[in-house]
Amino acid sequence: MDTVLIFQLVVAIIIALFVAYNLFHYALFLLVTHPKDARKIGARLNRFEQRQLVEWTPQSNDFLKHDDEKRTYDDVFGTYRDEQDNYSTCVFPRVAYSPPYEAEYALLKPKDGMRLLDLGCGSGAAADYLASRRNIEIVCVTNSSVQADICRRKFAKLGGRGQVIVTDFDSLDLPSENFDAIYALESIGYTKDLDAWLTQCWRMLKPGGRLLIRSPGSLDHCRREEDYLSVTPFFDNWRYNFVGANLLVYKMRRLGFNPIRYRRLPFWAWGVTWNFIQHILLWKFRLKMRTFVELERIIWRTSKVFVFGNPYNTVLATKPEAASCSTRLLHPQK
């Protein structure tokens, strides 16, 4: 085979891989933007989900113990992140290298004049994208002053449509029925009271409003004590609770959300997305987070089926049009 043929073959393989990788992202985009009806899940919690609500609940001072070196969130991320970065490990654009948060736009369906709330906004990447597509107002909440400064610089071009509040979202006190949509991308795991967090979302949503939650990992398919114990060090180090789709649907249904839809993507699917790979490389080698070294050890000492089958969850719930925050108990049973 001459050099020209070899070159042509290599080029053809590269093009084929590029096309296949983008088709893979497009398939994920279609799955995420068409979630399934949640009526078949959330009927009950298994014993590991019940335990995690007690044993894995973050505490008020966990912000000061973000990793095993006792660094805060700002210590870890502050000097490395800027206006061009996003904090979510898994976003779902139509193709691998296009602007992110297209799936969030499709799920939230923002329209001109709407008011959105971003709980745990990170650098404000999602809010900035949504506000660039529609004439909407967005309130972003973060407990990081570094992130808040990034958001404010980013929102300067929005003409007052972007607002940043620096507080722990467990202490948030905003008017009732004030938002058309609320979303939390990989931040709900930091809440110290899941019931109160969801109740607050119900209260702040207008009737007909949407609540979108993305959360990596869950224990709804955990069946062995050794699996539960083996992944506990991840929570101990990262201070993040694996709030899965089953647990969220169980809690949301008791508040009155309806309909509720969900999508689970297995680790192998969301773990090979371009955005996830970038974050893993950044966090392990640039931010020097030993969490990921520990995670590698966890994988080897537990069930591979459990770890690699652990899903990335998307849950989309709607507050019924006829509902009002005054028509539900503000403290539903756990």
Side-chain angles (χ1 to χ4, degrees), residues 297-312:
R297 294 173 183 158
I298 289 171
I299 290 173
W300 286 111
R301 68 172 181 253
T302 190
S303 166
K304 309 302 184 296
V305 174
F306 174 71
V307 172
F308 286 101
N310 214 316
Y312 186 92

Side-chain angles (χ1 to χ4, degrees), residues 167-199:
T167 186
D168 187 329
F169 52 45
D170 284 312
S171 304
L172 194 62
D173 185 17
L174 292 173
S176 299
E177 298 184 359
N178 194 40
F179 296 97
D180 299 282
I182 299 174
Y183 61 93
L185 308 180
E186 301 181 6
S187 60
I188 192 173
Y190 292 114
T191 182
K192 292 169 281 296
D193 189 332
L194 180 59
D195 288 294
W197 192 99
L198 290 171
T199 300

Side-chain angles (χ1 to χ4, degrees), residues 114-150:
M114 280 189 171
R115 192 170 164 81
L116 276 64
L117 177 63
D118 184 336
L119 294 177
C121 63
S123 63
D128 183 56
Y129 179 78
L130 295 172
S132 71
R133 296 284 302 272
R134 288 288 185 178
N135 184 24
I136 57 177
E137 294 184 23
I138 296 188
V139 177
C140 291
V141 178
T142 176
N143 61 3
S144 164
S145 58
V146 172
Q147 291 179 341
D149 288 340
I150 294 173

Side-chain angles (χ1 to χ4, degrees), residues 23-242:
L23 287 174
F24 167 74
H25 278 75
Y26 185 65
L28 292 182
F29 173 82
L30 289 178
L31 288 172
V32 169
T33 54
H34 295 81
K36 301 187 296 183
D37 190 285
R39 280 179 290 188
K40 293 184 179 180
I41 69 170
R44 62 183 62 85
L45 304 180
N46 67 33
R47 63 188 179 97
F48 298 107
E49 290 175 303
Q50 294 169 356
R51 285 177 61 182
Q52 78 174 106
L53 291 173
V54 177
E55 298 175 8
W56 289 9
T57 301
Q59 303 302 311
S60 58
N61 65 341
D62 282 343
F63 182 70
L64 302 177
K65 301 183 298 183
H66 188 71
D67 64 6
D68 56 2
E69 296 178 351
K70 309 300 182 185
R71 297 181 296 179
T72 69
Y73 199 95
D74 284 349
D75 290 335
V76 176
F77 289 103
T79 59
Y80 294 94
R81 310 299 271 166
D82 57 35
E83 284 83 348
Q84 306 306 315
D85 292 309
N86 68 75
Y87 283 79
S88 297
T89 57
C90 211
V91 292
F92 300 96
R94 285 182 173 84
V95 294
Y97 313 107
S98 64
Y101 300 111
E102 294 180 17
E104 284 72 14
Y105 181 86
L107 290 169
L108 292 171
K109 301 184 185 302
K111 298 178 181 178
D112 290 348
M114 280 189 171
R115 192 170 164 81
L116 276 64
L117 177 63
D118 184 336
L119 294 177
C121 63
S123 63
D128 183 56
Y129 179 78
L130 295 172
S132 71
R133 296 284 302 272
R134 288 288 185 178
N135 184 24
I136 57 177
E137 294 184 23
I138 296 188
V139 177
C140 291
V141 178
T142 176
N143 61 3
S144 164
S145 58
V146 172
Q147 291 179 341
D149 288 340
I150 294 173
C151 290
R152 291 188 183 105
R153 292 196 298 269
K154 189 176 294 185
F155 294 166
K157 65 179 184 294
L158 296 180
R161 292 189 291 121
Q163 177 186 355
V164 186
I165 300 174
V166 182
T167 186
D168 187 329
F169 52 45
D170 284 312
S171 304
L172 194 62
D173 185 17
L174 292 173
S176 299
E177 298 184 359
N178 194 40
F179 296 97
D180 299 282
I182 299 174
Y183 61 93
L185 308 180
E186 301 181 6
S187 60
I188 192 173
Y190 292 114
T191 182
K192 292 169 281 296
D193 189 332
L194 180 59
D195 288 294
W197 192 99
L198 290 171
T199 300
Q200 281 274 59
C201 289
W202 171 275
R203 181 184 63 79
M204 293 186 292
L205 272 177
K206 297 177 182 178
R210 294 185 165 206
L211 173 60
L212 173 64
I213 296 174
R214 293 205 193 283
S215 179
S218 63
L219 295 179
D220 52 13
H221 68 301
C222 185
R223 298 293 181 268
R224 304 192 313 166
E225 180 75 11
E226 52 263 45
D227 288 331
Y228 177 83
L229 294 176
S230 68
V231 296
T232 297
F234 186 82
F235 167 77
D236 289 339
N237 193 36
W238 193 252
R239 317 311 293 173
Y240 187 92
N241 196 349
F242 293 133

